């Protein structure tokens, strides 16, 4: 079997002919990327190792990387890895070499970390509804989620329900919903307070699971409806209607990752998560179930023996590179030049010789094209791995169906360790399969069983009886202005698939058409503007897969190093910009 390892809610499972399995919730269908995977696997591949653009043997590249590594202090060496491939052997285990040498690590905050912490404050876990539980609801609220594109199997189940969407523009999900509410960007915490106020005032909460309604009442009383109306852009009547729909339908709330990247996004998610509990729904939300399976990701990364010498927030990598605090950057499973905030600073530092960049990736991308050293990696179709999802509860034993290109992350880890002279370090000595067997113990599944059956249900149930009201956040007013806002495109997963579906940097606004600039105090980028009536005045909208401007400059030049309060997630959807058309 093979599970698609891309960063995606759905984690489709395929047979060895790459046909999607006809089991719930995969249900025999996949996306526009899934159907082109076999073709794409032969396109745009890195076919060899490279040093400064010159083709070399992989062994030579590794020797050179280790020689360079030894020139820097461990705090100046940073590894940047994220979810290009969610396999336990591809993403997690390879952090061991870096932890063994005590280099710096990121805080893994770029995507969903803020919301995990926000929900855990109240529920003690971020584990929400399972696919089977999606089926039981009559209605759903998509809150900051473009599920029609980003979560196609979830959407297939939920599209049959009564649907309510809360967004800052008329998204595709909004268009296909029975009701939608368009609010001002980054005002979600205030809307959640408005809904809670109505439910409490009107007594619409017979079976609340919250432990301290008095504190909640006092808290929401601090916020007048006139303020909530002003901040959210909705009228009191609209908020009342939304609250009554919540009470009447008792919907499942899909809390989108996009929210965690807004101004006060963690606060918003924390308050939103209280609504289903107030209505008596146990785990009446879905955010990401990844931290609920009992997989010990820290063990895989080796934190039980060696920790990073320092943590650099993903919001701050650009800034730290600019300051000269990071001089060596090793990346795998991630395309930082495309996707990190302030990535223009990383690009400049490499071009000016202030940063040594190494990338291990299967495909040529914005980072590999710039890197001093490139090492080819096999794709998930070319190696063994163990894969979990962040929605469904299957664990999958991935088997290769194509000949391997390059060197796996595990092999590279071992070769780096050998060259560095630390092969006998306990993190390196422990065989990767032994590490996996230990790390998945909490799922109740052994590696032996998984290897035999290939696809095994984790069957984890987390019961919630009471939900804690406190801590409640102290809110500030979101800044006014035009917000640059991003979302998922159906044909790409983040920066991937441009070899199949080429694209241009297009920014959608209500009324501007032509070529021009988006700018703020952090930078200026050149894009194509297109008019789109679904975008309000205070939003400039872009897909998060076209983050390189017409001059090759990262759009993320515009994103500063501000970060969320709970987990340091960058404010990717919280940036204020100005637009000008080229004369
Ligand atoms: N096809 C496809 N699927 C994907 C991905 C992909 O690139 N392509 N990426 C995957 C990844 S990495 C992730 S993180 C998830 C993301 O999936 P989602 O959680 O669905 O997030 P986004 O698609 O980024 O954006 C969701 C919506 O949030 C809205 N939004 C932005 N700011 C605000 C705000 O302040 N308030 C409110 N209420 N709404 C706001 C946007 O307009 C957008 O419609 O999808 C995964 N699935
Ligand atoms: N402005 C703005 N920036 C954003 C976002 C936004 O909404 N707006 N979204 C953010 C979000 S949600 C996320 S998750 C990040 C994603 O950021 P990225 O790191 O760009 O994520 P991907 O493009 O999914 O994957 C990264 C790389 O992993 C590689 N890869 C795939 N499989 C393997 C493998 O088996 N081995 C190795 N070594 N590499 C592999 C891919 O080829 C790709 O180059 O971007 C963030 N950046
Ligand atoms: S990207 Fe998502 S929907 Fe597409 S094949 Fe992979 S898991 Fe399935
Ligand atoms: Mo993400």
């Amino acid at each position: 079997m093979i599970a698609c390892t891309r960063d995606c809610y759905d984690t489709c499972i395929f047979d060895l002919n790459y046909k999607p399995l006809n089991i719930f919730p995969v249900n025999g269908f996949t996306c526009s990327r899934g159907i082109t995977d076999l073709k794409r696997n032969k396109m745009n591949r890195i076919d060899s190792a490279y040093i400064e653009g010159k083709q070399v043997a992989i062994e030579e590249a590794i020797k050179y990387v280790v020689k360079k590594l030894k020139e820097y202090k461990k705090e100046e060496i940073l590894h940047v890895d994220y979810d290009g491939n969610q396999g336990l052997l591809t993403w997690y285990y390879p952090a061991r070499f870096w932890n063994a040498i005590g280099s710096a690590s990121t805080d893994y905050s770029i995507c969903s970390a803020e919301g995990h912490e926000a929900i855990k404050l109240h529920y003690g876990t971020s584990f929400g509804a399972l696919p089977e539980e999606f089926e039981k609801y009559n209605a759903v609220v998509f809150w900051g989620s473009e599920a029609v594109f980003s979560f196609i199997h979830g959407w297939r189940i939920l599209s049959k329900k009564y649907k309510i969407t809360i967004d800052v523009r008329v998204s595709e999900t909004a268009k296909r919903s029975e009701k939608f509410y368009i609010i001002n960007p980054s005002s979600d915490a205030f809307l959640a307070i408005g809904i809670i106020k109505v439910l409490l005032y009107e007594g619409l909460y017979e079976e609340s699971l919250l432990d301290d309604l008095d504190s909640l009442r006092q808290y929401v009383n601090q916020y007048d409806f006139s303020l909530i109306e002003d901040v959210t852009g909705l009228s009191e009547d609209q908020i009342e209607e939304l609250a009554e729909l919540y009470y009447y339908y008792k919907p499942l709330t899909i809390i989108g990752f996009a929210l965690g990247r807004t101004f006060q996004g963690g606060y918003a998610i924390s308050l939103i998560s209280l609504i289903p509990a107030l209505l008596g729904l146990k785990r009446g939300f879905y955010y990401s179930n990844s931290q609920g399976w009992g997989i010990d990701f820290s063990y895989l990364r080796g934190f039980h023996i060696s920790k990073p010498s320092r943590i650099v927030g993903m919001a701050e990598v650009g800034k730290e590179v600019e300051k000269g605090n990071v001089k060596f950057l090793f990346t795998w499973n991630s395309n930082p030049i495309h996707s990190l905030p302030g990535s223009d600073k990383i690009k400049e530092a490499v071009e000016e010789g202030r940063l040594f960049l190494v990338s291990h990736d299967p495909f040529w991308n914005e980072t590999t094209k710039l890197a001093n050293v490139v090492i080819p990696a096999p794709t998930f179709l070319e190696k063994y791995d163990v894969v979990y999802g962040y929605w469904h509860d299957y664990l999958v034993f991935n088997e290769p169906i194509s000949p391997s290109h390059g060197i796996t992350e595990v092999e590279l880890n071992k070769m780096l360790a050998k060259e560095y002279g630390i092969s006998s370090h306990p993190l390196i000595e422990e065989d990767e399969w032994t590490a996996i067997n230990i790390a998945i113990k909490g799922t109740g599944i052994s590696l032996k069983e998984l290897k035999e059956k290939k696809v095994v249900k984790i069957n984890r149930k987390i019961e919630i009886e009471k939900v804690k009201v406190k801590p409640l956040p102290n809110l500030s007013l979101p800044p006014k202005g035009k917000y640059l806002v991003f979302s998922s495109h159906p044909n790409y997963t983040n920066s991937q698939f441009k070899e199949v579906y080429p694209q241009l940097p297009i920014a959608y606004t209500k009324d501007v058409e032509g070529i021009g600039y988006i700018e703020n105090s952090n930078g200026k980028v050149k894009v194509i503007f297109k008019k789109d009536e679904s975008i309000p005045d205070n939003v400039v909208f872009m897909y998060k897969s076209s983050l390189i401007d017409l001059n090759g400059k990262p759009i993320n030049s515009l994103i500063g190093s501000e970060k969320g309060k709970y987990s340091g997630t960058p404010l990717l959807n919280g940036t204020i910009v100005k637009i000008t058309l080229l004369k």
Side-chain angles (χ1 to χ4, degrees):
M1 297 296 171
I2 306 150
C4 167
T5 55
R6 279 186 289 275
D7 187 352
C8 179
Y9 292 102
D10 304 68
T11 316
C12 294
I13 309 170
F14 301 85
D15 65 18
L16 296 181
N17 295 314
Y18 214 60
K19 274 216 170 66
L21 294 192
N22 205 354
I23 56 169
F24 181 81
V26 179
N27 294 340
F29 72 98
T30 184
C31 68
S32 59
R33 289 144 284 153
I35 57 173
T36 59
D37 260 325
L38 296 180
K39 179 176 114 185
R40 180 193 182 229
N41 205 49
K42 300 190 183 80
M43 297 167 75
N44 190 32
R45 293 296 298 273
I46 298 172
D47 50 0
S48 156
Y50 291 83
I51 298 177
E52 307 297 355
K54 190 174 150 266
Q55 231 172 317
V56 296
I58 290 176
E59 294 71 18
E60 193 183 335
I62 291 170
K63 269 206 166 83
Y64 186 58
V65 168
V66 171
K67 182 178 153 278
K68 293 298 290 184
L69 261 178
K70 293 194 167 171
E71 291 174 15
Y72 302 102
K73 294 193 204 116
K74 57 188 183 182
E75 300 81 11
E76 295 170 341
I77 301 166
L78 175 69
H79 63 95
V80 176
D81 47 295
Y82 207 70
D83 198 355
N85 175 327
Q86 202 163 271
L88 300 186
L89 290 182
T90 303
W91 185 9
Y92 304 91
Y93 180 87
R96 285 189 169 204
F97 168 72
W98 303 99
N99 289 329
I101 67 168
S103 72
S105 164
T106 73
D107 59 356
Y108 297 104
S109 63
I110 189 88
C111 179
S112 60
E114 196 70 15
H116 277 293
E117 292 314 308
I119 297 169
K120 279 194 231 162
L121 290 175
H122 305 291
Y123 289 78
T125 174
S126 51
F127 188 79
L130 288 164
E132 287 78 3
E133 291 162 331
F134 276 40
E135 296 222 299
K136 295 183 189 145
Y137 287 85
N138 296 320
V140 52
V141 174
F142 293 102
W143 200 322
S145 158
E146 180 62 302
V148 170
F149 295 151
S150 65
F151 188 11
I152 59 169
H153 292 84
W155 172 257
R156 180 69 69 93
I157 300 171
L158 298 171
S159 60
K160 301 181 192 95
K161 321 277 179 188
Y162 185 89
K163 301 173 289 301
I164 301 166
T165 292
I166 302 167
D167 208 293
V168 297
R169 60 182 183 107
V170 188
S171 63
E172 192 56 33
T173 308
K175 284 176 192 154
R176 299 195 204 175
S177 295
E178 278 68 26
K179 276 260 173 215
F180 61 79
Y181 297 87
I182 304 307
I183 64 172
N184 290 331
S186 291
S187 70
D188 303 81
F190 288 84
L191 177 57
I193 289 176
I195 295 172
I196 294 171
K197 261 172 106 86
V198 176
L199 295 173
L200 289 176
Y201 284 173
E202 297 187 4
L204 307 177
Y205 58 91
E206 296 94 12
E207 296 179 46
S208 168
L209 307 174
L210 295 176
D211 68 350
D212 184 359
L213 284 182
D214 286 342
S215 295
L216 186 61
R217 195 169 282 114
Q218 261 174 25
Y219 173 77
V220 298
N221 275 346
Q222 301 171 80
Y223 300 92
D224 287 340
F225 254 109
S226 56
L227 175 76
I228 295 173
E229 285 183 321
D230 182 51
V231 175
T232 62
L234 294 185
S235 67
E236 187 171 346
D237 284 352
Q238 286 175 300
I239 296 172
E240 242 176 61
E241 179 188 69
L242 179 51
E244 283 159 7
L245 288 171
Y246 247 112
Y247 178 69
Y248 177 78
Y249 281 109
K250 308 274 188 305
L252 171 68
T253 304
I254 305 291
I255 306 176
F257 294 157
L259 285 176
R261 309 177 204 125
T262 62
F263 175 79
Q264 297 184 151
Y267 293 171
I269 294 178
S270 135
L271 291 164
I272 292 166
S273 79
L274 295 179
I275 300 172
L278 176 59
L279 293 169
L281 301 168
K282 294 187 173 172
R283 295 192 291 110
F285 64 88
Y286 167 73
Y287 182 69
S288 159
N289 293 336
S290 59
Q291 298 187 8
W293 305 135
I295 302 174
D296 193 342
F297 301 114
S298 297
Y299 186 85
L300 284 168
R301 290 189 170 123
F303 291 158
H304 56 297
I305 293 182
S306 266
K307 292 219 166 81
S309 51
R310 74 176 179 121
I311 302 293
V312 177
M314 286 180 109
E316 293 159 334
V317 177
K319 198 172 91 181
E320 285 293 287
V321 165
E322 189 181 41
K323 282 187 185 162
N325 296 337
V326 173
K327 297 198 172 117
F328 183 110
L329 198 156
F330 182 96
T331 180
W332 79 96
N333 241 358
S334 134
N335 184 359
I337 299 298
H338 180 272
S339 305
L340 280 190
S343 54
D344 54 320
K345 300 189 180 84
I346 308 176
K347 189 165 180 252
E348 277 164 26
V350 179
E351 285 163 351
E352 291 167 13
R354 288 180 282 116
L355 176 72
F356 191 81
L357 176 66
V358 184
S359 176
H360 183 213
D361 204 289
F363 297 95
W364 288 109
N365 64 22
E366 293 79 3
T367 304
T368 47
K369 284 180 190 159
L370 181 75
N372 301 89
V373 178
V374 179
I375 301 171
T379 63
F380 69 97
L381 299 172
E382 302 170 356
K383 60 192 165 197
Y384 288 99
D385 211 333
V386 170
V387 184
Y388 72 95
Y390 45 80
W391 178 41
H392 68 57
D393 50 0
Y394 287 109
L395 212 53
V396 182
F397 185 71
N398 260 29
E399 298 161 293
I401 54 166
S402 270
S404 174
H405 290 59
I407 175 172
T408 68
E409 290 67 19
V410 172
E411 287 169 307
L412 177 57
N413 223 253
K414 291 188 174 159
M415 287 174 75
L416 284 169
K418 188 163 176 222
E419 185 63 29
Y420 201 90
I422 54 161
S423 287
S424 59
H425 191 285
L427 289 182
I428 308 292
E429 258 194 338
E430 186 179 54
D431 168 70
E432 64 274 21
W433 294 108
T434 311
I436 287 220
N437 200 30
I438 294 170
I440 63 174
K441 221 172 170 176
T443 65
I445 301 168
S446 68
L447 183 62
K448 184 166 173 284
E449 181 188 2
L450 189 62
K451 277 187 169 168
E452 271 164 29
K453 298 186 181 152
K454 317 288 187 206
V455 180
V456 184
K457 230 171 162 31
I458 300 174
N459 265 330
R460 197 158 160 98
K461 296 276 175 282
I462 295 181
E463 292 311 329
I464 300 285
E465 295 307 326
K466 272 281 168 222
V467 173
K468 284 201 319 212
V469 163
K470 286 183 187 160
L472 290 163
N474 239 330
L475 299 183
S476 324
L477 297 182
K480 299 253 183 215
K482 236 185 217 321
Y483 280 71
L484 180 59
V485 161
F486 299 91
S487 182
S488 304
H489 189 289
N491 288 343
Y492 313 92
T493 302
N494 298 316
S495 70
Q496 304 187 63
F497 272 84
K498 288 177 203 153
E499 49 281 300
V500 182
Y501 304 109
Q503 62 167 206
L504 289 165
I506 300 173
Y508 299 87
T509 66
K510 189 177 170 196
D511 44 20
V512 179
E513 187 101 20
I515 292 183
Y517 297 100
I518 311 180
E519 64 185 298
N520 63 12
S521 58
N522 297 315
K524 183 172 180 177
V525 297
K526 192 174 179 184
V527 300
I528 302 163
F529 287 106
K530 282 203 175 156
K531 267 192 207 172
D532 187 331
E533 284 177 359
S534 65
I535 314 288
D537 253 351
N538 56 0
V539 169
V540 179
F541 173 73
M542 293 190 80
Y543 288 109
K544 65 173 169 140
S545 308
S546 45
L547 297 182
I548 301 298
D549 86 346
L550 290 170
N551 294 330
K553 193 171 172 193
I555 303 288
N556 279 355
S557 315
L558 301 169
I559 315 283
S561 55
E562 296 82 10
K563 50 188 193 174
K565 299 281 189 301
Y566 291 142
S567 228
T569 294
L571 303 196
L572 298 166
N573 285 322
T575 303
I576 309 279
V577 294
K578 204 173 80 185
I579 57 177
T580 42
L581 272 181
L582 215 64
K583 295 279 178 321

